[in-house]
Amino acid sequence: MSHHTETLVIGAGPAGLTAAYLLSKQGRSVTVLERDPAQVGGISRTVSHNGYLFDIGGHRFFSKSQAVVDLWDEILPNDFIERPRLSRIYYRGRYYAYPLKAFEALRNLGLLTSAACMASYFYARLRPVREPKTFHAWVRNQFGERLFSIFFKTYTEKVWGMSCDAISADWAAQRIKGLDLGSAIRDGIKRSLGLRKRARAGAPVIKTLIESFRYPRRGPGMMWEAAAAKIRGQGGKVLLDRGVDSLSFDAGTGIWTVAARRADGSRETFTARNVVSSAPVRELVDSIRPRPLSTFNARSLQYRDFLTVALIAKSQKNFPDNWIYIHDPSVQVGRVQNFRSWSPEMVPDADHTCLGLEYFCFEGDGLWSASDDELVALAKREIGQIGLIDPAEVVDACVVRQAKAYPVYDEEYAGHVATVRRELERDFPTLHLVGRNGMHKYNNQDHAMMTAMLTVENILCGQRRHDVWRVNEDAEYTEAGLSGAEAALGSERLVPRKVA
């Protein structure tokens, strides 16, 4: 059976659903194909287990783009709550506020270590690595070698499963841009003395230092379930259990033919004038027939996967953190989420707590392939070692695996992405890449949405008016005030390219 639509969207995550919502709102024909048989939302979905709700990775609803904030309010107008942002670092048996509180850090590290950190920082500022290419070199320039080894190396290598000398500096510049030891200490002293005031309207805010965020009261999945319902209400289609097998493009007619397979083995065919893909670049390119010349480059792109072990415990222990970063090398867990601190409605029993222990891994490795029972036993042992709850108090548990959670920024990734992008834009002008995996960019949820919003404008006007690859690429674009994205785009002098 064949179905025709003006625009076919691959993937029902934030980027894909944003594109479909905005197109259907304009009365355009749109169909979304999602591989998951039960849920939309991708990594931003909310998982339910015996009434307990789990956020996959933690998703703060904070954006410098007023257009994104307005869209959140339009899709989910009555279900946001304001939550305090609090996170800490656990390192060698001690907890450090994150962002830094200067006096607390001095007390925990001790005067000698603190003095060594400051000396290391000043040395790095006097003799920086010129044009740093690696994560190690970039962070060393901003914080000094000593603080890099304490607060960056162990955790980062847990997350990525590779040496900090093999990770591109692009990742650090994108994720913690605008922050160095000097700004962290100045902010930390103000926090320690209670002198930090609310930033004036329009003033730059370092995203790492924000103090509160909005959050759907029952998790981020609320947003994307509501978006899917509104798409259907506007005449669009959101089809689950459809994994894309192949795509082919007829340059003569300008029509795409897309084959999708369901879990039972049945196949469907779709035709469309535009394809918007938030699928991993590696998978997308491998599905195009005939295969592009850049297939080798796409296959060279890597991904990091992770799993969450949610422990439900009847415990009186309570802590206010949204999450705790585990920098200690003696345990495998990388981060612990406290779901009640995201929203009280995530945990239905007042005398229970629910913590999510996040383990970073590669699909198919020992952690990923371990049984649920083995993973729960590991999580209980490590949560006891950290001291957050007593393992004996755990009464229930749930394991959630998330493939391709993070696009890997290794030394070669940028060249591979550039090669793929050039070929796809040249040969397939109506194929649009959006979102985190769709562009192999470590975008946050709001960045992913912005790529979709600009792509919709490109489709509606029939031209590539906006360069979506600039989203989350430089500090001015994403960090220059509430409407930084729109302001940056407005200043661009892009030459429109006709895309049919």
Side-chain angles (χ1 to χ4, degrees), residues 249-312:
F249 180 65
D250 186 327
T253 62
I255 296 295
W256 284 92
T257 300
V258 179
R261 184 186 298 272
R262 306 190 68 173
D264 62 8
S266 61
R267 291 167 60 90
E268 291 176 279
T269 301
F270 300 84
T271 57
R273 288 205 165 272
N274 302 288
V275 172
V276 175
S277 176
S278 63
V281 174
R282 191 170 71 191
E283 293 182 4
L284 173 74
V285 173
D286 213 38
S287 299
I288 297 175
R289 301 291 184 272
R291 286 198 170 92
L293 294 175
S294 59
T295 296
F296 168 80
N297 301 91
R299 288 177 177 174
S300 298
L301 296 174
Q302 300 182 64
Y303 303 87
R304 187 66 162 161
D305 314 291
F306 85 99
L307 54 88
T308 298
V309 183
L311 300 179
I312 300 166

Side-chain angles (χ1 to χ4, degrees), residues 10-46:
I10 302 173
L17 290 176
T18 296
Y21 173 76
L22 293 174
L23 286 167
S24 61
K25 183 180 176 181
Q26 294 295 320
R28 299 298 186 98
S29 169
V30 61
T31 297
V32 182
L33 303 183
E34 168 56 45
R35 176 180 295 170
D36 192 291
Q39 283 186 284
V40 298
I43 198 172
S44 293
R45 71 191 184 278
T46 300

Side-chain angles (χ1 to χ4, degrees), residues 48-53 218 345-348:
S48 177
H49 173 77
N50 294 335
Y52 289 79
L53 302 174
R218 291 180 61 82
E345 292 192 45
M346 305 282 276
V347 181

